[in-house]
């Protein structure tokens, strides 16, 4: 395990983002990670709803955003970009519900988002803790791209960037070839892959095989605590949405794999390749492209560490145990 990384989590909460927040909260409680802040972005849902969902989930896990409720870890939640850089905004309500949390209609959180925009929060915290922050991004990359535009020195200030997104030797999940996070803002994603910072990219090739099925979902549902009941209820909606794709009942908790690879990189298998995003293709806009030829890469971009697989059994067991710690 890597020594307690300081994570700034950028997300679009979202069911699998919510599961990831619970996993991160379990790491915080165990002293295995610090959660410096969260920022939200358009994607599964609008970023204000995503921020309120983030607060709801963190509060359920005993983490507050400040104020009177602060008793234990305090994590600010910032609202980020409401739309992509160069295209219209799209949400994924069929997969995540009209409230982003499987139509569970949870009450308002006690906390509120901070006033600072998510991209400014990234820059400020990177400046305050040079070389220490890990940026974990499991939504469209508009906030990270905007932060790069705000501060040209940002790449040298960040320890590592871990992104859930893309698809290489795996079909897309929003178009034939494109994965949703990248497709939602291809220009921002390409800015992130072009920057000179260490990136771990966790594409569908790695996340899709981690699908959990009835046995795992039943073990979660059998655990009678508020957090386990909440996780089981949002996953029920997600599993309904996933059944036609998986051809059996189950769910792919993509974002949690990226989070787990932050604290336990050895769980993954990787290749190192420069990555670009197709920005002009009529059928393939938003697709991630790597150069897999055996010749030395002509691409001068810094290679990205791309996860192409993981220890699925360990991922599933560890995620379940984390959810059962609350
Ligand atoms: Ca997400």
């Amino acid at each position: 395990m890597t020594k307690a990384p300081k994570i700034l989590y950028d997300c679009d909460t979202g069911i699998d983002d919510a599961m990831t927040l619970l996993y991160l909260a379990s790491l915080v409680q165990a002293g295995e990670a610090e959660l410096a802040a969260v920022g939200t972005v358009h994607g599964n849902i609008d970023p204000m709803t995503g921020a309120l969902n983030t607060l709801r989930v963190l509060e359920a896990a005993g983490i507050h955003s400040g104020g009177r409720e602060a008793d234990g870890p305090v994590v600010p939640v910032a609202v980020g970009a409401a739309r992509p850089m160069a295209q219209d905004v799209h949400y994924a309500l069929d997969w995540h519900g009209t409230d982003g949390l499987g139509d569970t209609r949870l009450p308002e959180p006690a906390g509120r988002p901070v006033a600072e925009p998510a991209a400014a929060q990234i820059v400020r915290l990177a400046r305050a803790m040079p070389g220490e922050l890990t940026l974990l991004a499991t939504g469209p990359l508009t906030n990270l791209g905007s932060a790069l535009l705000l501060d040209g020195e940002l790449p040298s200030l960040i320890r590592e960037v871990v992104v859930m997104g893309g698809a290489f030797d795996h079909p897309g999940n929003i178009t034939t070839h494109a994965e949703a996070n990248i497709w939602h803002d291809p220009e921002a994603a390409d800015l992130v892959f072009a920057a000179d910072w260490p990136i771990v990219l966790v594409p569908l090739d790695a996340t899709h095989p981690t699908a959990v099925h009835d046995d795992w979902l039943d073990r979660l549902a059998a655990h009678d605590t508020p957090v386990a009941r909440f996780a089981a209820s949002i996953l029920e909606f997600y599993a309904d949405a996933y059944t036609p794709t998986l051809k059996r009942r189950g769910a792919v908790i993509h974002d949690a794999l990226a989070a787990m690879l932050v604290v336990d990189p050895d769980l993954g298998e990787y290749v190192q390749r420069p990555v670009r995003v197709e920005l002009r293709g009529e059928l393939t806009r938003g697709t991630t492209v790597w150069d897999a030829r055996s010749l030395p890469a002509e691409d001068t971009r810094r290679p990205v560490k791309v996860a192409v697989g993981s220890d699925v059994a360990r991922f599933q067991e560890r995620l379940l145990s984390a959810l059962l710690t609350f």
Side-chain angles (χ1 to χ4, degrees), residues 9-14 16-17 44 96 138-140 164 181 255:
Y9 183 33
D10 197 86
C11 55
D12 57 340
T13 316
D16 56 333
D17 308 84
N44 293 329
H96 297 271
T138 68
M164 189 278 131
N181 286 342
D255 298 349

Side-chain angles (χ1 to χ4, degrees), residues 265-278:
D266 293 343
L267 194 86
E269 297 162 44
Y270 308 89
V271 296
Q272 299 262 3
R273 286 174 189 159
V275 171
R276 287 177 184 262
V277 180
E278 175 55 78

Side-chain angles (χ1 to χ4, degrees), residues 87 166-168 175 177-179 182-191 193 275-290 301:
Q87 66 184 24
F168 296 92
T175 67
H177 288 66
E179 179 278 333
I182 306 302
W183 179 86
H184 279 293
D185 195 342
E187 277 73 16
D190 203 54
L191 278 174
F193 298 140
V275 171
R276 287 177 184 262
V277 180
E278 175 55 78
L279 300 177
R280 288 180 289 277
E282 185 183 346
L283 301 174
T284 54
R285 179 169 153 81
T287 300
T288 45
V289 179
W290 64 16
R301 277 191 182 177

Side-chain angles (χ1 to χ4, degrees), residues 35-288:
L35 188 54
V38 179
T40 61
V41 65
H42 69 90
N44 293 329
I45 194 133
D46 69 273
M48 176 54 85
T49 306
L52 296 174
N53 286 344
T54 297
L55 291 164
R56 289 178 171 105
V57 176
L58 288 177
E59 287 171 12
I63 293 179
H64 294 275
S65 55
R68 283 176 298 139
E69 300 295 326
D71 178 23
V74 173
V75 176
V77 176
V79 181
R83 51 157 294 163
M85 292 187 172
Q87 66 184 24
D88 292 336
V89 68
H90 297 272
Y91 303 131
L93 307 184
D94 290 351
W95 290 87
H96 297 271
T98 54
D99 63 354
L101 290 177
D103 292 335
T104 48
R105 305 276 158 219
L106 293 178
E108 284 291 301
R112 302 303 296 171
V114 297
E116 184 177 46
Q121 179 176 257
I122 291 173
V123 169
R124 180 177 57 78
L125 290 176
R127 287 271 164 200
M129 301 181 247
E132 291 184 39
L133 272 187
T134 294
L135 294 182
L136 169 65
T138 68
L141 294 171
T142 318
N143 291 338
L144 272 65
S146 302
L148 285 167
L149 298 177
L150 284 172
D151 188 341
E153 292 177 3
L154 185 66
S156 67
L157 301 169
I158 293 294
R159 181 169 178 267
E160 186 174 59
V161 183
V162 179
V163 173
M164 189 278 131
F168 296 92
D169 290 331
H170 192 281
N173 64 353
I174 193 149
T175 67
T176 54
H177 288 66
E179 179 278 333
N181 286 342
I182 306 302
W183 179 86
H184 279 293
D185 195 342
E187 277 73 16
D190 203 54
L191 278 174
V192 169
F193 298 140
D196 184 18
W197 51 9
I199 303 176
V200 178
L201 180 60
V202 187
L204 295 180
D205 310 59
T207 63
H208 218 269
T210 67
V212 295
H213 296 100
D214 269 336
D215 48 344
W216 190 98
L217 294 166
D218 290 347
R219 283 168 68 198
L220 175 64
H223 200 72
D224 194 21
T225 63
V227 166
R229 279 199 300 273
F230 163 71
S233 68
I234 61 175
L235 283 176
E236 194 165 312
F237 184 98
Y238 202 46
D240 284 344
Y242 253 113
T243 301
T245 305
L246 296 173
K247 310 276 192 274
R248 60 185 280 211
R249 193 167 169 74
V252 187
I253 310 170
H254 304 274
D255 298 349
L257 180 63
M260 206 174 284
L261 293 179
V262 172
V263 289
D264 188 5
D266 293 343
L267 194 86
E269 297 162 44
Y270 308 89
V271 296
Q272 299 262 3
R273 286 174 189 159
V275 171
R276 287 177 184 262
V277 180
E278 175 55 78
L279 300 177
R280 288 180 289 277
E282 185 183 346
L283 301 174
T284 54
R285 179 169 153 81
T287 300
T288 45

